[in-house]
Amino acid sequence: MAISQALSFCSDLVFHKPFSVSILRKTNSSTSTIISSLSPLTSINTKSPSLSNNNTRKRLTTSCSLLEDDVTGSAVQTMEIDPVLAVKKKAMEVAPGLKGTSLYLVGFNSTIKTRLGKLLADALRYYYFDSDSLVVEAAGGEAMAKQLLDTDKAGFRESETEVLRQLSSMGRLIVSAGDGAVQSSTNLSLLRHGISIWVDVPLDMVAKEIVEDDVQLIGTDISPSASHSEVVSQLATIYAELQEAFEIADATISLEKVAGLQGYEDVEAVSPEDMGLEVLTQLEKLMRVKKMMEEAARPF
């Protein structure tokens, strides 16, 4: 009996398969996007990178020794634990307290922010959206979005607000929000429909992706053809303007801080799974504080 119970404990890291969604978007103007027909039964084609490219670097090994007092010897089961499974296990603990509350990831867009968002959506069984992608799609593509930004910046910002307004009306979302999400009081108020998390990535890393991977930050004039130092300088200017708004977020997940906690000498060694576990830990703390405040407000 003891052996069967221990084997059951060793099998605790078995999870349901993740589901994916398809989204139908209709555009009735260059500044409006309608998001509808969410279905967990069909998949969406995406060119985004996989959840993690370095899972093998962080694989952990654990063993369960199964012993009984009256049995000589032992039965040992050894398994490799994928870091993604560790995130899913933590998500299972956190999800009931969230009650379907949406999460908004703010801060400069980056590869690790995208992967983090998709990882959390997979682990929590949420839907994932990139608000910048929806704004671009509403405008009719990247070229049209840039033209709209150049000729009608107010209209472009209205499009960002409209996308956030529609997303904020739904639950169970992970939203990778663009810089425009914190550039107006209206947008900041829409973020209050969920929990906002500032994903703080070093400017040098963001600049490297812009220069080397030809990544464009929607809503900015930064050109991928600029030098690394020029991009860092431009990012620093934008950062100084938005830092106060970023800090309003309910929680901050700093890549540099996570690297320190994990004992990494290089911030680029931080994986989406490292970030995901830190996000879920911070969510636990937020929910604990919320519960304490609710209990304190109850009448005797």
Side-chain angles (χ1 to χ4, degrees):
M1 178 63 70
I3 291 180
S4 63
Q5 290 175 340
L7 282 171
S8 176
F9 174 78
C10 285
S11 302
D12 190 42
L13 292 176
V14 177
F15 301 91
H16 295 292
K17 293 182 179 179
F19 68 97
S20 55
V21 303
S22 68
I23 52 178
L24 172 65
R25 310 184 188 100
K26 299 178 181 178
T27 304
N28 56 10
S29 73
S30 61
T31 59
S32 178
T33 304
I34 297 177
I35 307 163
S36 61
S37 301
L38 293 174
S39 169
L41 302 179
T42 52
S43 62
I44 177 172
N45 183 26
T46 175
K47 296 181 180 179
S48 300
S50 59
L51 294 180
S52 175
N53 289 335
N54 57 356
N55 283 346
T56 54
R57 178 183 59 80
K58 288 278 293 178
R59 296 187 81 89
L60 306 175
T61 301
T62 186
S63 63
C64 297
S65 295
L66 316 177
L67 297 172
E68 290 192 44
D69 294 337
D70 57 347
V71 178
T72 58
S74 65
V76 179
Q77 181 180 20
T78 302
M79 66 179 74
E80 284 190 337
I81 302 176
D82 191 314
V84 174
L85 295 184
V87 175
K88 289 186 176 182
K89 187 173 189 298
K90 187 68 173 179
M92 290 176 65
E93 300 170 1
V94 174
L98 283 175
K99 299 178 181 179
T101 302
S102 294
L103 305 181
Y104 296 88
L105 308 183
V106 301
F108 289 125
N109 281 339
S110 63
T111 299
I112 195 165
K113 181 183 172 187
T114 299
R115 289 176 177 165
L116 171 63
K118 292 187 175 184
L119 175 69
L120 290 172
D122 179 42
L124 291 168
R125 298 183 65 79
Y126 273 29
Y127 298 99
Y128 173 82
F129 285 103
D130 183 307
S131 64
D132 275 350
S133 295
L134 296 179
V135 171
V136 169
E137 193 164 322
E142 290 187 8
M144 294 299 294
K146 188 177 186 309
Q147 182 179 347
L148 177 63
L149 181 63
D150 293 338
T151 60
D152 185 9
K153 195 168 186 176
F156 184 88
R157 296 306 179 195
E158 287 175 7
S159 181
E160 290 178 320
T161 299
E162 178 61 24
V163 167
L164 283 176
R165 180 175 289 111
Q166 293 182 57
L167 291 174
S168 67
S169 68
M170 298 183 281
R172 301 186 66 82
L173 303 183
I174 301 293
V175 179
S176 181
D179 301 336
V182 299
Q183 293 192 33
S184 75
S185 57
T186 300
N187 291 355
L188 287 172
S189 67
L190 291 172
L191 296 183
R192 304 313 299 173
H193 287 261
I195 298 174
S196 55
I197 300 169
W198 177 20
V199 182
D200 189 11
V201 179
L203 301 184
D204 185 66
M205 285 185 64
V206 178
K208 183 178 179 180
E209 290 188 0
I210 292 175
V211 174
E212 296 183 3
D213 301 328
D214 198 30
V215 173
Q216 291 185 334
L217 293 185
I218 304 300
T220 71
D221 297 326
I222 298 177
S223 171
S225 62
S227 68
H228 183 272
S229 60
E230 289 173 335
V231 173
V232 170
S233 177
Q234 290 175 298
L235 286 173
T237 300
I238 299 173
Y239 183 88
E241 296 173 352
L242 300 181
Q243 182 178 1
E244 187 174 345
F246 286 150
E247 291 174 345
I248 297 176
D250 298 303
T252 298
I253 307 299
S254 166
L255 194 72
E256 292 180 331
K257 182 178 179 180
V258 173
L261 291 172
Q262 296 293 329
Y264 300 144
E265 295 182 359
D266 185 355
V267 292
E268 293 190 3
V270 177
S271 69
E273 292 77 29
D274 294 326
M275 297 287 282
L277 287 172
E278 183 63 19
V279 167
L280 294 169
T281 299
Q282 292 299 321
L283 289 174
E284 268 188 328
K285 293 179 181 179
L286 287 173
M287 290 185 292
R288 193 178 304 124
V289 171
K290 180 181 178 181
K291 183 178 180 180
M292 291 174 59
M293 293 176 65
E294 290 174 347
E295 291 177 348
R298 292 175 185 170
F300 292 101

